[in-house]
Protein backbone atom coordinates (compact mmCIF):
# COMPACT_ATOMS: atom_id res chain seq x y z
CA UNK A 1 0.00 0.00 0.00
CA UNK A 2 2.62 2.57 1.07
CA UNK A 3 4.84 2.41 -2.01
CA UNK A 4 1.93 2.89 -4.41
CA UNK A 5 0.63 5.92 -2.54
CA UNK A 6 4.15 7.34 -2.49
CA UNK A 7 4.64 6.78 -6.23
CA UNK A 8 1.38 8.53 -7.02
CA UNK A 9 2.44 11.60 -5.05
CA UNK A 10 5.71 11.96 -6.94
CA UNK A 11 4.96 10.80 -10.47
CA UNK A 12 3.99 14.27 -11.69
CA UNK A 13 6.72 16.23 -9.93
CA UNK A 14 9.58 18.06 -11.58
CA UNK A 15 12.07 15.38 -10.43
CA UNK A 16 10.27 12.65 -12.32
CA UNK A 17 9.96 14.76 -15.46
CA UNK A 18 13.71 15.33 -15.85
CA UNK A 19 15.42 11.95 -16.49
CA UNK A 20 18.97 13.31 -16.09
CA UNK A 21 18.14 14.74 -12.67
CA UNK A 22 16.56 11.44 -11.58
CA UNK A 23 19.80 9.62 -12.36
CA UNK A 24 21.84 12.08 -10.31
CA UNK A 25 19.37 12.23 -7.44
CA UNK A 26 18.72 8.57 -6.65
CA UNK A 27 16.78 7.92 -3.49
CA UNK A 28 17.96 6.44 -0.22
CA UNK A 29 16.13 3.65 1.59
CA UNK A 30 16.15 3.37 5.39
CA UNK A 31 15.66 0.06 7.18
CA UNK A 32 14.81 -0.62 10.82
CA UNK A 33 15.39 -4.37 11.06
CA UNK A 34 13.45 -6.22 13.74
CA UNK A 35 12.81 -9.75 14.87
CA UNK A 36 9.27 -9.93 13.41
CA UNK A 37 8.86 -6.72 11.43
CA UNK A 38 11.02 -4.43 9.32
CA UNK A 39 10.29 -0.75 9.00
CA UNK A 40 11.08 1.00 5.73
CA UNK A 41 11.50 4.68 4.94
CA UNK A 42 12.51 6.44 1.73
CA UNK A 43 14.12 9.77 0.99
CA UNK A 44 12.65 12.42 -1.23
CA UNK A 45 14.43 12.73 -4.61
CA UNK A 46 16.63 15.56 -3.33
CA UNK A 47 17.77 13.44 -0.37
CA UNK A 48 16.75 16.04 2.19
CA UNK A 49 13.77 14.43 3.89
CA UNK A 50 12.93 10.97 5.10
CA UNK A 51 9.40 9.69 4.63
CA UNK A 52 8.02 6.65 6.50
CA UNK A 53 7.09 4.08 3.89
CA UNK A 54 5.75 0.82 5.28
CA UNK A 55 6.16 -2.10 7.67
CA UNK A 56 6.76 -5.59 6.30
CA UNK A 57 7.33 -9.03 7.74
CA UNK A 58 10.97 -9.90 8.36
CA UNK A 59 10.49 -13.07 6.31
CA UNK A 60 9.98 -11.12 3.05
CA UNK A 61 12.58 -8.41 3.58
CA UNK A 62 15.09 -9.28 0.86
CA UNK A 63 12.70 -9.78 -2.08
CA UNK A 64 10.65 -6.74 -1.08
CA UNK A 65 13.68 -4.48 -0.71
CA UNK A 66 15.13 -5.83 -3.97
CA UNK A 67 11.93 -4.73 -5.75
CA UNK A 68 12.00 -1.30 -4.08
CA UNK A 69 15.60 -0.79 -5.20
CA UNK A 70 14.52 -1.25 -8.80
CA UNK A 71 11.17 0.55 -8.68
CA UNK A 72 12.33 3.61 -6.74
CA UNK A 73 15.88 3.82 -8.16
CA UNK A 74 17.50 3.35 -4.76
CA UNK A 75 21.26 3.87 -4.78
CA UNK A 76 21.96 3.74 -1.04
CA UNK A 77 20.45 1.66 1.74
CA UNK A 78 20.84 2.82 5.34
CA UNK A 79 20.40 0.01 7.85
CA UNK A 80 19.97 0.70 11.54
CA UNK A 81 22.18 -1.35 13.81
CA UNK A 82 21.05 -2.17 17.33
CA UNK A 83 23.87 -2.71 19.78
CA UNK A 84 23.69 -3.72 23.41
CA UNK A 85 24.47 -1.01 25.99
CA UNK A 86 27.98 -2.46 26.21
CA UNK A 87 28.42 -2.08 22.43
CA UNK A 88 28.06 -5.72 21.42
CA UNK A 89 26.04 -6.96 18.47
CA UNK A 90 22.72 -8.72 18.95
CA UNK A 91 21.13 -11.50 16.90
CA UNK A 92 19.07 -8.81 15.15
CA UNK A 93 22.25 -6.92 14.29
CA UNK A 94 23.78 -10.05 12.80
CA UNK A 95 20.64 -10.64 10.71
CA UNK A 96 20.77 -7.01 9.52
CA UNK A 97 24.40 -7.50 8.45
CA UNK A 98 23.44 -10.65 6.52
CA UNK A 99 20.76 -8.63 4.71
CA UNK A 100 23.38 -5.97 3.93
CA UNK A 101 25.67 -8.62 2.41
CA UNK A 102 22.87 -9.76 0.10
CA UNK A 103 21.94 -6.19 -0.87
CA UNK A 104 25.56 -5.31 -1.66
CA UNK A 105 25.45 -7.90 -4.44
CA UNK A 106 22.69 -5.82 -6.07
CA UNK A 107 25.09 -2.91 -6.52
CA UNK A 108 23.71 -0.53 -3.89
CA UNK A 109 25.81 1.30 -1.34
CA UNK A 110 25.19 0.06 2.22
CA UNK A 111 25.54 2.37 5.20
CA UNK A 112 25.08 1.33 8.81
CA UNK A 113 23.53 3.86 11.16
CA UNK A 114 23.33 3.68 14.93
CA UNK A 115 19.67 3.12 15.73
CA UNK A 116 19.99 3.84 19.42
CA UNK A 117 16.76 5.42 20.67
CA UNK A 118 15.10 5.45 17.21
CA UNK A 119 12.34 3.05 18.28
CA UNK A 120 11.85 5.00 21.51
CA UNK A 121 11.53 8.24 19.53
CA UNK A 122 9.10 6.60 17.10
CA UNK A 123 6.91 5.33 19.93
CA UNK A 124 6.99 8.71 21.59
CA UNK A 125 5.83 10.36 18.36
CA UNK A 126 2.74 8.13 18.32
CA UNK A 127 1.36 9.03 21.71
CA UNK A 128 -1.79 7.04 22.43
CA UNK A 129 -1.27 4.46 19.67
CA UNK A 130 -0.27 1.10 21.11
CA UNK A 131 0.66 -1.14 18.16
CA UNK A 132 4.39 -1.91 18.06
CA UNK A 133 4.16 -2.87 14.38
CA UNK A 134 3.40 0.69 13.35
CA UNK A 135 6.45 2.12 15.10
CA UNK A 136 8.91 0.39 12.78
CA UNK A 137 8.49 2.57 9.70
CA UNK A 138 8.78 5.67 11.89
CA UNK A 139 11.98 4.31 13.45
CA UNK A 140 13.32 3.65 9.93
CA UNK A 141 12.48 7.24 9.02
CA UNK A 142 14.40 8.54 12.05
CA UNK A 143 17.41 6.38 11.18
CA UNK A 144 17.33 7.58 7.57
CA UNK A 145 16.92 11.23 8.54
CA UNK A 146 20.02 11.01 10.78
CA UNK A 147 21.98 9.83 7.75
CA UNK A 148 20.48 12.45 5.44
CA UNK A 149 21.23 15.27 7.89
CA UNK A 150 24.92 14.34 7.92
CA UNK A 151 25.09 14.02 4.14
CA UNK A 152 22.81 16.82 2.93
CA UNK A 153 25.62 19.03 1.58
CA UNK A 154 27.06 16.21 -0.50
CA UNK A 155 23.78 15.65 -2.36
CA UNK A 156 22.28 19.10 -2.61
CA UNK A 157 21.33 20.21 -6.15
CA UNK A 158 23.78 23.13 -5.93
CA UNK A 159 26.72 20.80 -5.30
CA UNK A 160 25.72 18.54 -8.23
CA UNK A 161 25.07 21.16 -10.90
Amino acid sequence: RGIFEFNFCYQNTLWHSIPAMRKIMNRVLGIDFGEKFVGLAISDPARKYSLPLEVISTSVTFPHVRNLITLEEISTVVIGLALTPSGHETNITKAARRLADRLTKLGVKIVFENEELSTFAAKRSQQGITSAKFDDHLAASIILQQYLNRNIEEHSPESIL
Side-chain angles (χ1 to χ4, degrees):
R1 179 190 100 184
I3 190 70
F4 298 112
E5 290 172 4
F6 188 78
N7 281 340
F8 180 76
C9 292
Y10 280 95
Q11 66 185 353
N12 293 322
T13 65
L14 175 64
W15 296 104
H16 277 269
S17 63
I18 305 174
M21 186 60 86
R22 285 179 63 198
K23 291 197 182 303
I24 293 171
M25 304 296 280
N26 289 337
R27 296 176 190 262
V28 181
L29 183 70
I31 299 177
D32 178 42
F33 199 90
E35 190 174 333
K36 294 180 181 179
F37 299 107
V38 173
L40 300 173
I42 194 166
S43 72
D44 68 308
R47 293 181 164 201
K48 290 184 179 182
Y49 304 105
S50 172
L51 305 166
L53 189 58
E54 61 190 336
V55 178
I56 60 172
S57 170
T58 300
S59 64
V60 298
T61 302
F62 180 73
H64 190 82
V65 170
R66 181 183 57 211
N67 289 339
L68 281 175
I69 288 169
T70 302
L71 291 171
E72 295 297 333
E73 299 180 352
I74 304 293
S75 62
T76 304
V77 177
V78 179
I79 300 175
L81 285 184
L83 302 175
T84 65
S86 60
H88 294 96
E89 292 194 355
T90 65
N91 288 338
I92 299 297
T93 306
K94 292 173 185 172
R97 287 192 185 278
R98 284 192 299 273
L99 173 65
D101 289 342
R102 292 180 76 188
L103 294 175
T104 300
K105 295 174 183 169
L106 300 177
V108 294
K109 177 182 173 184
I110 302 294
V111 178
F112 294 104
E113 184 73 32
N114 182 356
E115 73 167 36
E116 186 178 24
L117 302 179
S118 64
T119 301
F120 174 77
K123 285 181 181 181
R124 193 159 184 220
S125 73
Q126 285 198 311
Q127 295 173 357
I129 300 173
T130 58
S131 174
K133 178 180 176 184
F134 297 105
D135 296 330
D136 296 325
H137 66 311
L138 298 175
S141 184
I142 291 167
I143 292 164
L144 179 55
Q145 192 63 55
Q146 287 173 187
Y147 168 80
L148 294 173
N149 289 347
R150 277 198 324 278
N151 294 280
I152 201 162
E153 287 298 316
E154 178 183 331
H155 300 292
S156 68
E158 295 81 24
S159 67
I160 293 173
L161 299 178

